[in-house]
Amino acid sequence: MPAVFGMTALDFLNDALGELEASGLLRTTDADGEGLLDVCSNDYLAFGRERVSRATLLTCEGLPTGAGASRLIFGTAKQHLALEAELADWTALESALLFANGYAANVGLLQALCRGGDWIVSDALNHASIIDGCRLSRGEVRVVAHRDVGGVEQALREGRGRRSWVVTESYFSMDGDVAPLRELRQVCDAFGAGLLVDEAHALGVFGPGGSGLCRAAGIAPDALVGTLGKAVGVQGAFVAGPSVLRRWLWNRARSLVFSTAPSPLVAQLALLNVQRARGADAERARLHALADELRARLRTAGATVPSGTGPIVPLILGDDARALRAAAALRALGLRVQAIRPPTVPAGSARLRLTVSCALSDADVAGVAECLIRTCSES
Ligand SMILES: Cc1ncc(COP(=O)(O)O)c(C=O)c1O
């Protein structure tokens, strides 16, 4: 270890980690979840937990495991193109372009699209990858209150004369509520602004054939970000939109240009799961029924569950230490659940972010609600 006068350059990290621990914000690895009931993953359709079958493996026989380079250099395989065509069809947009993951998709999209002098209006509860994309772009960012169409309109008025963008999640990952997409589209049209929608948690869950909340609302965003590691149950992400956008991202999205393409093998597995997700109406109906049941049981017991819909059910506890205590107590009862604390959520709104998957039984949901009610009233 390189040392100067007995110290190393990384020693300060011990103090910084100590401070995080003292303030209840230290994150540790989650290696002890085996055997617990999953109520925290994003595997909503329960595809991601399935063990790969021989039949699936046979469809992958002969495929290269690695892409070999960035898409621009060497990396485009038939499997990428087939998956992109499927994704464009699913979202009813002209084209799609794969990224390694949703973080890279948001960062690449915003950095490439929003240029010097642009004006970006961003929902206060947008995901970190959107925030980081805004930071990497050369645009000026105005953060507006959560789901506040009036605030968006006011911000666009202030930005008049500049190229403007509104960026939002469609189904908010930590709150389980839905953006007012139709109204946002109208306001964007009135001001000539582009609408960028992150459907990471909505694809596979909402809309016709699981095609997301934009299609459910009957609107077309200027760019749609979707992920393949959540309801689709594999890995990767994409940006869908007009083909001029795809061509631009191909040239200018640094997280695409300077990064190895997704494995063709993974692209093939994602294609199979997207096709399954499109046909999973029965699973979606069950998912929503289970989530409604969990919300209803928690509310009846007097818990603070914000208005929302779908498989993300936040239980707001407020205090970071209380959320940690509740999560630990629930794990002791057999539930795999995480305390969500700042900076993932605003200070003072620490919570248990519960998620439902269609792998849960009715009895599981009743048991989960009972454990939560008991634990949260005690912690
Ligand atoms: C709203 C949202 N967008 C993007 C991402 C990033 O997606 P990925 O996990 O594929 O990097 C996440 C991940 O949790 C998310 O919640």
Side-chain angles (χ1 to χ4, degrees):
M1 191 185 314
V4 183
F5 304 121
M7 309 255 299
T8 77
L10 301 183
D11 279 352
F12 78 99
L13 293 178
N14 286 316
D15 293 341
L17 286 166
E19 281 165 26
L20 279 181
E21 186 159 22
S23 54
L25 294 178
L26 188 71
R27 266 83 162 158
T28 53
T29 49
D30 174 33
D32 58 349
E34 201 70 18
L36 301 181
L37 186 70
D38 166 20
V39 279
C40 68
S41 79
N42 304 315
D43 188 19
Y44 307 120
L45 296 175
F47 289 178
R49 70 195 68 188
E50 282 176 10
R51 303 298 181 241
V52 68
S53 70
R54 193 172 294 263
T56 301
L57 282 177
L58 278 177
T59 73
C60 299
E61 199 171 53
L63 294 187
T65 51
S70 153
R71 288 289 292 278
L72 283 73
I73 302 287
F74 177 83
T76 294
K78 281 204 298 283
Q79 291 72 30
H80 297 128
L81 298 176
L83 177 55
E84 287 171 345
E86 182 80 23
L87 294 168
D89 187 62
W90 196 19
T91 53
L93 294 167
E94 204 180 355
S95 68
L97 182 60
L98 291 175
F99 283 75
N101 52 56
Y103 185 90
N106 272 327
V107 162
L109 171 69
L110 287 153
Q111 161 269 316
L113 202 55
C114 307
R115 313 178 79 197
D118 283 12
W119 180 240
I120 308 174
V121 181
S122 177
D123 187 286
L125 297 189
N126 275 341
H127 187 257
S129 55
I130 297 177
I131 296 171
D132 292 357
C134 288
R135 288 179 180 154
L136 258 187
S137 82
R138 304 265 162 91
E140 190 180 340
V141 182
R142 171 61 52 89
V143 176
V144 291
H146 182 48
R147 300 175 69 240
D148 179 4
V149 181
V152 170
E153 188 170 358
Q154 174 60 27
L156 287 176
R157 196 167 286 119
E158 279 173 49
R160 235 193 194 127
R162 301 165 73 170
R163 191 191 293 116
S164 297
W165 308 98
V166 172
V167 58
T168 185
E169 292 177 38
S170 63
Y171 182 45
F172 282 87
S173 61
M174 294 297 144
D175 292 76
D177 55 2
V178 170
L181 292 170
R182 233 178 262 134
E183 293 85 344
L184 289 176
R185 183 70 274 178
Q186 278 167 5
V187 177
C188 284
D189 289 346
F191 285 86
L195 178 61
L196 315 178
V197 181
D198 179 345
E199 295 250 48
H201 293 270
L203 274 184
V205 171
F206 295 99
S211 57
L213 284 162
C214 287
R215 282 200 62 196
I219 64 135
D222 295 282
L224 182 154
V225 171
T227 55
L228 303 171
K230 304 190 193 298
V232 171
V234 185
Q235 191 176 32
F238 65 97
V239 177
S243 40
V244 66
L245 174 68
R246 188 180 187 282
R247 286 180 64 209
W248 182 249
L249 296 178
W250 185 272
N251 281 277
R252 281 289 179 267
R254 293 168 68 85
S255 59
L256 173 99
V257 174
F258 299 106
S259 183
T260 301
S263 153
L265 189 63
V266 171
Q268 169 70 12
L269 293 172
L271 175 63
L272 295 174
N273 274 15
V274 168
Q275 288 165 342
R276 280 181 70 198
R278 296 184 74 171
D281 287 342
E283 287 87 342
R284 265 184 289 282
R286 173 149 186 78
L287 181 66
H288 287 284
L290 289 170
D292 290 347
E293 178 66 21
L294 181 60
R295 275 196 183 79
R297 282 178 181 263
L298 293 175
R299 286 200 183 115
T300 305
T304 311
V305 181
S307 64
T309 182
I312 299 170
V313 182
L315 189 60
I316 311 288
L317 298 177
D319 181 60
D320 300 337
R322 185 172 176 220
L324 280 175
R325 274 198 308 277
L330 287 163
R331 287 172 87 85
L333 292 174
L335 299 186
R336 191 166 186 171
V337 64
Q338 298 290 352
I340 307 287
R341 293 158 287 159
T344 309
V345 292
S349 74
R351 66 197 65 186
L352 300 176
R353 173 190 181 261
L354 301 155
T355 59
V356 170
S357 87
C358 56
L360 295 179
S361 66
D362 294 344
D364 286 338
V365 167
V368 167
E370 204 185 302
C371 289
L372 285 164
I373 292 159
R374 188 152 32 103
T375 306
C376 294
S377 60
E378 285 163 7
S379 57

